[in-house]
Amino acid sequence: MTRFDPLFQHGLERLTEQGRLRTSRSLDPRADAQLVRADGMALVDFSSNDYLGLRLHPLLRDRAAEWGARYGAGSGASRLVSGTCSGAVQLEARLAALKGTEAACIFSSGWQANATLVPALARLSAAVLGAPAVIFADKLIHASLYQGCAAAGIQPLRFRHNDVAHLATLLEKHADTPGLKIVLTESVFSMDGDRADLPALAAVCRAHNAFLCVDEAHATGILGENGRGLAHGLADLVVGTFSKALGCMGAFVASSNPVCQWLMNSGSGYIFSTAPCPMVLGAVDAALDLLPTPELEQTRTHVAALSALLRAQVQGMGLDTGPSSTQIVPIIVGGEQTALQAAQAMEQAGFLTVAIRPPTVPPGGCRLRVVVHGFHTQTQVLALVDALRNVVRQGVTV
């Protein structure tokens, strides 16, 4: 105990009153699309981001063990201190090819990559152009990108979500402002499951000489040809993660050689952080082997079909799935307590559909974030819909 515990306890009590207290719990994955609670109850997983079901794939586990035996369990230090194993160098070349860029650099997490790249780009503007960067951000970008803006000491100019015309207006308004113009967006937004109009964004950025950064966390592996994502050839810089469709942990930035070299020399998250462990990178290498295979192409088609089925069924019940057009299907319910009650009722029926509450989503926008995976069946999706229908009948207003 510390003498400050009453202060923290009071803060926790306030979160509880607001319906915003979060806790972690034991859930062990099984190969049959289920997660097992500590009490032994199995839940069908409709919440994780393992879109292709790769985290338990034998090839990933075997490759992780192989790289561990070859390079060790840990990396030893940051890459600029103890160097980079040859496997990681080759993996970066594969990641660049996946995104159609000259180069890529690996980070330990998507949060680290996003929080690192924004201040690094801002430093370039100050050092070379002699003026602060001007950052334009889609209103719904990930918290890690906002953290990057805060670390850079820059208040971003926010444009309305997926409103390219509004972005163009802001860029025109600030056309004479010195400094590098940086546009931050995502190809697929994690809470609504909708897509950015990347061709239109790319055209606007080219017209206004703005540097377009696209976070592809929720598109890499699951969308686009061979799972390459949606920003191929359209963005100046792309962020991808290993922790969603690739079934692992970590992230990468893909761009030109000079951009990646600048990040390696100016990005504090790259310079001062221990490099990812070789075992994780080995699993990523195996996931890249699988992405272009007919098996995973069928999986991506399967996920798209089940996602469309789920949206149609839920909308048919009069419920709101927002602008979703991907494997992420939100069921928007409004208030915190309603979301918690609905999630609890769904769990009692055997489905993990976690309640998403502020600050992750705006007040009044609480939801069940339902995620379709490659290992789901049509029977499971329809059973989920039946369970949701029963929740509504039981009086939980969604």
Side-chain angles (χ1 to χ4, degrees):
M1 294 179 63
T2 77
R3 63 185 183 279
F4 297 102
D5 281 3
L7 178 65
F8 287 93
Q9 190 60 43
H10 181 67
L12 293 171
E13 290 169 357
R14 292 189 62 181
L15 289 176
T16 300
E17 293 169 359
Q18 297 167 350
R20 299 182 184 182
L21 184 70
R22 290 163 169 79
T23 57
S24 181
R25 56 180 175 158
S26 172
L27 288 170
D28 291 333
R30 293 197 326 201
D32 58 357
Q34 294 188 331
L35 298 171
V36 180
R37 294 192 320 201
D39 62 3
M41 181 176 180
L43 305 172
V44 182
D45 176 17
F46 275 97
S47 281
S48 77
N49 295 321
D50 185 20
Y51 303 135
L52 296 172
L54 292 183
R55 65 173 166 167
L56 295 177
H57 196 287
L59 184 62
L60 272 68
R61 292 186 292 189
D62 291 347
R63 190 75 56 83
E66 177 188 327
W67 279 42
R70 184 185 308 169
Y71 302 115
S75 59
S78 70
R79 292 174 64 175
L80 299 181
V81 171
S82 60
T84 302
C85 68
S86 59
V89 174
Q90 295 163 11
L91 180 60
E92 286 177 330
R94 298 190 70 185
L95 294 166
L98 177 70
K99 293 298 183 181
T101 62
E102 289 181 339
C105 50
I106 293 171
F107 289 82
S108 296
S109 74
W111 175 281
Q112 182 197 52
N114 282 340
T116 296
L117 75 90
V118 179
L121 295 176
R123 289 188 192 101
L124 176 76
S125 183
V128 178
L129 299 179
V134 185
I135 299 177
F136 304 83
D138 186 292
K139 183 179 179 181
L140 297 186
I141 57 170
H142 194 267
S144 55
L145 287 168
Y146 279 121
Q147 180 67 28
C149 294
I154 297 174
Q155 182 67 40
L157 301 169
R158 302 200 303 173
F159 59 94
R160 290 185 292 270
H161 178 50
N162 277 343
D163 191 333
V164 180
H166 188 210
L167 170 62
T169 298
L170 291 176
L171 286 166
E172 183 65 32
K173 180 179 178 180
H174 293 273
D176 296 329
T177 303
L180 179 65
K181 311 298 191 302
I182 303 169
V183 174
L184 304 177
T185 191
E186 302 180 28
S187 57
V188 173
F189 288 83
S190 61
M191 291 298 115
D192 286 324
D194 57 336
R195 312 178 193 213
D197 186 347
L198 292 179
L201 281 167
V204 166
C205 288
R206 283 194 298 269
H208 293 86
N209 198 31
F211 188 88
L212 177 59
C213 300
V214 179
D215 184 340
E216 287 248 271
H218 297 276
T220 300
I222 184 66
L223 298 174
E225 183 182 356
N226 291 333
R228 69 184 187 184
L230 303 176
H232 205 272
L234 296 172
D236 296 296
L237 180 152
V238 173
V239 180
T241 58
F242 309 141
S243 56
K244 277 72 176 180
L246 299 188
C248 302
M249 178 64 190
F252 65 98
V253 171
S255 188
S256 67
N257 277 312
V259 170
C260 288
Q261 285 295 317
W262 178 261
L263 290 178
M264 293 175 187
N265 282 274
S266 186
S268 59
Y270 184 92
I271 298 169
F272 300 111
S273 180
T274 297
C277 80
M279 298 177 73
V280 168
L281 299 184
V284 174
D285 187 65
L288 293 184
D289 283 350
L290 293 171
L291 282 189
T293 62
E295 173 192 355
L296 280 205
E297 184 57 33
Q298 292 172 5
T299 300
R300 287 187 284 268
T301 300
H302 176 68
V303 169
L306 287 185
S307 302
L309 172 65
L310 176 61
R311 278 191 295 273
Q313 291 286 321
V314 172
Q315 292 168 4
M317 296 166 56
L319 303 180
D320 184 6
T321 61
S324 167
S325 64
T326 65
Q327 70 281 357
I328 302 167
V329 183
I331 302 173
I332 302 170
V333 302
E336 288 90 340
Q337 295 301 333
T338 300
L340 288 170
Q341 292 170 14
Q344 183 178 20
M346 291 296 290
E347 185 163 326
Q348 290 172 349
F351 300 95
L352 185 68
T353 56
V354 173
I356 306 296
R357 297 158 285 158
T360 308
V361 293
C366 298
R367 65 201 61 195
L368 302 181
R369 180 182 181 269
V370 179
V371 181
V372 177
H373 301 152
F375 46 63
H376 285 143
T377 66
Q378 180 173 310
T379 299
Q380 287 174 320
V381 169
L382 294 177
L384 173 79
V385 172
D386 286 340
L388 183 63
R389 187 176 291 111
N390 289 333
V391 169
V392 174
R393 288 171 181 165
Q394 291 167 10
V396 178
T397 305
V398 296

